[in-house]
Amino acid sequence: MLAEALAAAAVGLAVLWLVLQPVLRPTGRGTAPLEPIDPEETPKGVALTALKEIEFDKETGKLSDADYEFLKDKYTAAALDALRHESGAVASDDVEAMIAAKVRALRSASVATPSNASTLPPGSNPACTTCGPRPEPEAIFCSSCGRRLSPHSECDRCGAALSPDSRYCETCGRQVAA
């Protein structure tokens, strides 16, 4: 019985020593491992992501032309500064060409021009069936309720007039709305 008590005391002291060792004797091994920086966390990544977002917001009708131009100029300048600092002695023409190529790539990857832009007369804003006229001239969706604005007025295939709530062309049967 004495041997069991001594063994239990030895195990208890060993466990107590293992538990208290980091508290009593801290070591220099507490530094965190170096993690690579996420590309979107760099100034260049932040600016390019912002440019991508404002392009998307412009295409979906969430930004007015004035806001788009202001934000585009702001983030283009930020991206240029970040690229200049990152690449060192790169000529400004090369950096501007890189930004222009990135913007072209973003535009070509985004959705084509709004389909309702050609059906609206110039100077008229699209109207939501629920919320009324919208202030954004090139909007595809209502900025208040999210409904699609100004449905197709004529069939793409045969050119027949469509009723506002039609999903299929009554003349040729082509699906015109989702």
Side-chain angles (χ1 to χ4, degrees):
M1 174 110 134
L2 183 62
E4 291 174 351
L6 288 176
V11 169
L13 286 175
V15 169
L16 185 64
W17 178 75
L18 287 173
V19 169
L20 293 178
Q21 183 180 8
V23 175
L24 298 176
R25 261 191 285 157
T27 60
R29 294 182 285 159
T31 60
L34 181 64
E35 292 184 24
I37 297 175
D38 186 14
E40 290 184 353
E41 293 177 355
T42 64
K44 172 187 162 188
V46 168
L48 292 177
T49 302
L51 282 171
K52 183 179 176 183
E53 288 293 320
I54 64 171
E55 286 288 328
F56 177 76
D57 287 347
K58 172 80 165 91
E59 291 293 322
T60 57
K62 293 180 182 178
L63 277 178
S64 67
D65 290 335
D67 289 341
Y68 170 74
E69 289 301 323
F70 171 75
L71 291 172
K72 179 181 164 206
D73 291 342
K74 175 183 173 183
Y75 288 114
T76 300
L80 287 172
D81 288 342
L83 287 172
R84 284 187 186 120
H85 291 300
E86 182 179 276
S87 62
V90 175
S92 66
D93 293 337
D94 295 335
V95 173
E96 292 193 18
M98 289 171 44
I99 294 291
K102 181 69 175 174
V103 168
R104 278 193 303 274
L106 289 172
R107 285 185 178 156
S108 67
S110 66
V111 179
T113 59
S115 60
N116 66 343
S118 62
T119 61
L120 292 173
S124 102
N125 290 347
C128 176
T129 57
T130 319
C131 306
R134 305 310 312 150
E136 307 89 6
E138 298 176 358
I140 299 171
F141 299 98
C142 176
S143 56
S144 297
C145 68
R147 289 185 180 203
R148 182 175 278 282
L149 300 176
S150 300
H152 300 289
S153 61
E154 62 183 37
C155 177
D156 293 334
R157 182 186 290 169
C158 68
L162 300 171
S163 61
D165 60 343
S166 66
R167 300 181 86 191
Y168 295 92
C169 176
E170 295 173 0
T171 306
C172 66
R174 181 185 180 120
Q175 183 176 4
V176 293

